[in-house]
Amino acid sequence: MTIKELTTELEALQKEVRENRVLVHPDEKEREIAELEQEMQKPDFWKHNEHAQSVSQRHAHLRAELSLWEALEKEVGDLLAFAGEAGDDVALLGDIEQQAVEFRARFERMSVTLLLNGPHDERNAILALHAGAGGTEAQDWVGMLYRMLMRFCERRGWKTTVIDEHVGAEAGYKSVMFEVQGASAYGYLKSENGVHRLVRISPFDAEKMRHTSFAMIEVLPELSEATDVVIDEKDLQIDTFRSGGKGGQNVNKVETAVRITHIPSGTVVSCQTQRSQLQNRESAMKILRAKLYAAEQEKKAKEKQEVRGEFHSAEWGNQIRSYVLHPYQMVKDHRTDYETQETASVLDGDLDAFVEAYLRWKKG
């Protein structure tokens, strides 16, 4: 690549970065940061712990987002300046060209964040995995999906906390629920919401027959008490019981586990992994808020789609993604049509391409 071609490429890249940075609305976010900092300086700020954590997380998220775009714009400007000073130095031009290629890849990954503009995309997420019909096969499939999601979270540096789990008799889980804390965790993970289908030779079948298993993944945004989800204490039935999970003698001997039933809707949530009843109750209420909000949103979406004649119920046959391990290797998302033959990589948590394809499909 000649100096002229490289300069033209970097100028085009610089223009793209600036255009994308404008889409982030930096002025609005700077004003919001100032307002949040003003609130954080109040003497009683940490009196209401959940609200304080929500505000602090929002502040950190905004600061990090603006800093990243500032760094991108500075870096492409520096590359352009280096190219102008390179002259006929072939080695230096080659080095700048390689840096430009790497920068382009990082910029394209960064531009995906612009698709995270849903009302709760920036929030933490709550995930619940449930085995479909099929006993051990389906429970093992839940275990595989659980590992896949945990690996995806680890790669992004997110914190995960198990809230509730019911281990399968032979393998995997009947169900497992966990919380994910990280920047835009819900925005990235919402692509996994739905039914996942697995086709493989069963390791539990002595005749080595091919089996099809199903599992459901629920992805919910973690909502604060300030969100418009009104829960009347009189509508709740709260039961306590002994935990059957890990956690030591206190957890297993004392009734620390909590089950909350929302009587009007029949929604039941439970939490048994925390060390105290109070912590389990707080976690259960967090999940209940998210489930009631999701149910209300689903109801509105259903009514809207039925008017248009588009509604399809979320049954086991309506899987969002298929993972075929036999007789060939393929993972295919049925919403976006994105597919790959790198099944082992996907099951090890490499979901970035699926997430990006979903976000672009959703926006389109």
Side-chain angles (χ1 to χ4, degrees):
M1 186 180 288
T2 66
I3 182 65
K4 185 177 179 181
E5 290 172 333
L6 181 57
T7 302
T8 302
E9 166 72 17
L10 287 169
E11 285 174 345
L13 197 49
Q14 185 181 53
K15 183 182 177 185
E16 283 185 66
V17 171
R18 285 174 174 169
E19 288 173 348
N20 277 268
R21 188 181 174 192
V22 169
L23 295 175
V24 176
H25 305 294
D27 292 341
E28 291 178 19
K29 289 185 174 173
E30 286 288 4
R31 282 196 294 272
E32 187 179 349
I33 286 171
E35 291 170 2
L36 292 172
E37 288 176 347
Q38 197 172 5
E39 184 176 355
M40 291 165 69
Q41 288 168 7
K42 292 179 180 177
D44 61 345
F45 175 68
W46 286 104
K47 250 186 166 180
H48 306 285
N49 191 52
E50 187 176 354
H51 174 69
Q53 286 182 342
S54 177
V55 170
S56 299
Q57 184 178 333
R58 174 64 176 166
H59 178 268
H61 171 75
L62 291 173
R63 266 277 163 246
E65 184 179 20
L66 292 183
S67 296
L68 278 170
W69 283 104
E70 286 171 10
L72 283 173
E73 190 168 348
K74 182 180 183 304
E75 186 174 348
V76 73
D78 289 344
L79 285 174
L80 197 52
F82 293 152
E85 297 169 2
D88 297 325
D89 189 332
V90 177
L92 183 55
L93 283 175
D95 184 48
I96 295 171
E97 185 178 344
Q98 180 59 38
Q99 289 182 57
V101 170
E102 293 171 0
F103 179 87
R104 163 69 72 179
R106 279 189 289 115
F107 167 63
E108 288 180 353
R109 286 197 300 271
M110 184 67 188
S111 65
V112 175
T113 62
L114 297 174
L115 301 172
L116 299 172
N117 53 9
H120 302 296
D121 282 357
E122 70 195 37
R123 294 184 179 273
N124 294 333
I126 298 169
L127 280 77
L129 285 68
H130 309 277
T136 301
E137 274 293 326
Q139 290 165 23
D140 188 52
W141 178 218
V142 168
M144 292 169 67
L145 288 173
Y146 177 43
R147 180 185 179 277
M148 177 185 80
L149 292 167
M150 293 293 274
R151 293 283 290 127
F152 178 70
C153 293
E154 285 171 14
R155 288 173 184 224
R156 291 189 167 269
W158 293 340
K159 179 185 176 184
T160 56
T161 306
V162 177
I163 297 172
D164 196 34
E165 61 179 17
H166 298 276
V167 180
E170 294 181 53
Y173 298 84
K174 296 175 184 176
S175 65
V176 60
M177 182 180 292
F178 62 100
E179 178 186 19
V180 182
Q181 293 176 301
S184 299
Y186 174 70
Y188 284 105
L189 287 165
K190 65 184 181 183
S191 62
E192 305 310 293
N193 187 75
V195 177
H196 295 245
R197 170 177 172 261
L198 172 70
V199 180
R200 66 170 176 174
I201 297 294
S202 170
F204 306 100
D205 188 336
E207 297 181 9
K208 301 299 178 184
M209 299 291 287
R210 189 172 65 182
H211 284 249
T212 300
S213 307
F214 295 92
M216 169 74 83
I217 298 178
E218 288 182 277
V219 184
L220 305 167
E222 182 185 287
L223 304 176
S224 65
E225 291 181 15
T227 311
D228 293 333
V229 180
V230 180
I231 301 176
D232 192 329
E233 288 283 337
K234 291 182 290 187
D235 291 335
L236 303 179
Q237 177 184 318
I238 301 175
D239 301 303
T240 59
F241 56 98
R242 292 184 185 179
S243 169
K246 304 169 186 175
Q249 291 184 341
N250 180 64
V251 169
N252 295 318
K253 289 186 177 182
V254 182
E255 291 191 344
T256 55
V258 174
R259 182 186 298 110
I260 300 178
T261 304
H262 184 251
I263 298 167
S265 65
T267 303
V268 180
V269 298
S270 62
C271 181
Q272 60 176 318
T273 57
Q274 303 298 323
R275 294 189 61 82
S276 76
Q277 191 180 112
L278 179 61
Q279 289 174 314
N280 280 324
R281 176 178 169 134
E282 287 176 352
S283 294
M285 285 299 294
K286 189 188 299 181
I287 300 161
L288 180 60
R289 276 197 300 275
K291 280 185 172 284
L292 292 178
Y293 175 82
E296 182 60 29
Q297 296 304 111
E298 189 177 335
K299 180 183 174 183
K300 289 178 181 177
K302 179 179 177 182
E303 290 170 352
K304 188 175 180 180
Q305 289 174 322
E306 282 180 334
V307 168
R308 295 177 178 174
E310 300 173 352
F311 181 71
H312 299 284
S313 61
E315 297 172 346
W316 287 109
N318 295 330
Q319 61 266 9
I320 62 161
R321 195 179 298 153
S322 292
Y323 305 70
V324 182
L325 306 184
H326 184 86
Y328 53 89
Q329 300 273 316
M330 186 181 72
V331 182
K332 179 173 182 177
D333 194 292
H334 302 293
R335 301 159 299 182
T336 65
D337 286 332
Y338 178 82
E339 62 183 60
T340 178
Q341 295 180 337
E342 301 295 328
T343 55
S345 179
V346 171
L347 290 171
D348 196 41
D350 186 5
L351 298 173
D352 293 304
F354 284 97
V355 169
E356 182 175 344
Y358 173 82
L359 290 172
R360 296 194 186 282
W361 169 80
K362 195 74 175 172
K363 190 171 184 179

